[in-house]
């Protein structure tokens, strides 16, 4: 059930409910780490049940969605300064994340994961389209240096990102990994997608089949 601030059932309430439902579904995807699909259609709640829903909503037995101990409630507190812009940024990021999880092609998922991150760093000012990579790097370098350091120290870091740690300072390695992450977006958008089909496991391992002829 979705509580919609509207004077009654109608086109306005329906459109607001659909937007909130899509956002809530995407938040569930983020919380659970797996795709959550919307229902085919939304219908008005039975009037006799509305009062009970209000009681349930105000009760202490309804807990917020969380991921990694972080509450995912972005639908309330709009009256606080800056919260509308904050909500719009986070909603865009969450919807992009949801689309990435639903994707079947890894390249498109990578694009959308980076777009989800970038949505948080895009300002509302007139310079929002300038120096995209630098803005992305600066924003996340300041936001989560410890997380980036953990990525750099991961056992598969050099193999996955193609970056040698060497004796480079931590700040330089953070910049390099963020540039590489942003490259997943820019490369696929500007150069197109790469083949991703792998077929069934246990095949010959050759894209041309066991006898050298094209596979079907």
């Amino acid at each position: 059930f979705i509580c919609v601030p509207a004077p009654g059932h109608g086109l306005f309430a329906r459109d607001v409910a659909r937007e909130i439902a899509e956002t809530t579904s995407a938040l569930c995807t983020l919380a659970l780490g797996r795709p959550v699909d919307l229902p085919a259609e939304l219908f008005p709640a039975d009037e006799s049940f509305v009062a009970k829903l209000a009681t349930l909503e105000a009760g202490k037995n309804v807990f917020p969605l969380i991921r990694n101990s972080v509450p995912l409630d972005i639908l309330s507190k709009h009256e606080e300064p800056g919260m509308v812009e904050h909500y719009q940024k986070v909603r865009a990021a969450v919807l992009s994340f949801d689309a990435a999880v639903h994707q079947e092609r890894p390249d498109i998922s990578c694009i959308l994961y980076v777009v989800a991150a970038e949505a948080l760093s895009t300002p509302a000012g007139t310079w929002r389209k300038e120096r995209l990579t630098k803005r992305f790097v600066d924003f996340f370098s300041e936001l989560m240096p410890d997380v980036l350091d953990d990525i750099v120290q991961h056992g598969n870091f050099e193999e996955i990102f193609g970056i040698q740690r060497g004796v480079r300072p931590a700040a330089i390695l953070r910049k390099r990994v963020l540039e590489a992450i942003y490259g997943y977006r820019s490369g696929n958008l500007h150069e197109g997608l790469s083949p991703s089909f792998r077929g069934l496991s246990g095949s010959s391992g050759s894209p041309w089949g066991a006898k050298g002829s094209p596979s079907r």
Side-chain angles (χ1 to χ4, degrees):
F1 293 91
I2 300 170
C3 180
V4 174
H9 302 314
L11 296 179
F12 175 78
R14 183 199 63 186
D15 290 343
V16 174
R18 286 177 175 176
E19 177 183 330
I20 295 177
E22 184 175 2
T23 303
T24 303
S25 177
L27 287 169
C28 290
T29 294
L30 178 60
L32 298 175
R34 60 176 177 82
V36 175
D37 296 321
L38 281 165
E41 188 50 87
L42 302 176
F43 300 96
D46 189 291
E47 292 288 350
S48 62
F49 199 58
V50 171
K52 181 179 180 180
L53 289 174
T55 302
L56 290 172
E57 184 182 21
K60 297 182 179 181
N61 294 325
V62 179
F63 300 99
L65 290 171
I66 62 171
R67 175 162 175 155
N68 295 334
S69 301
V70 178
L72 301 180
D73 177 18
I74 65 171
L75 296 169
S76 61
K77 300 182 179 179
H78 285 181
E79 69 279 2
E80 297 181 11
M83 287 304 295
V84 172
E85 181 182 339
H86 172 77
Y87 165 72
Q88 292 171 341
K89 287 177 181 290
V90 177
R91 181 185 63 185
V94 169
L95 291 174
S96 299
F97 179 91
D98 179 69
V101 174
H102 278 82
Q103 276 296 325
E104 295 183 358
R105 292 188 67 93
D107 288 346
I108 296 179
S109 291
C110 282
I111 292 173
L112 291 170
Y113 282 132
V114 180
V115 168
E118 189 177 18
L120 298 174
S121 67
T122 302
T126 56
W127 57 282
R128 60 188 298 167
K129 296 183 179 179
E130 298 177 8
R131 307 176 70 183
L132 299 180
T133 305
K134 183 179 186 303
R135 186 180 68 216
F136 182 87
V137 171
D138 290 348
F139 180 85
F140 285 103
S141 293
E142 296 179 7
L143 177 68
M144 52 180 198
D146 294 341
V147 175
L148 294 171
D149 289 342
D150 289 342
I151 293 174
V152 169
Q153 295 305 318
H154 193 277
N156 292 334
F157 169 76
E158 294 185 345
E159 177 185 358
I160 295 299
F161 289 99
I163 300 172
Q164 299 298 316
R165 294 190 195 91
V167 293
R168 294 174 177 174
I172 296 297
L173 289 171
R174 293 176 202 142
K175 180 180 179 182
R176 293 289 179 265
V177 71
L178 285 169
E179 289 174 341
I181 291 172
Y182 197 78
Y184 288 127
R185 167 202 179 278
S186 299
N188 287 318
L189 284 178
H190 298 311
E191 301 169 12
L193 302 178
S194 301
S196 61
F197 177 67
R198 295 293 180 268
L200 297 174
S201 60
S203 62
S204 64
S206 167
W208 294 100
K211 297 183 180 179
S213 60
S215 302
R216 293 191 297 176

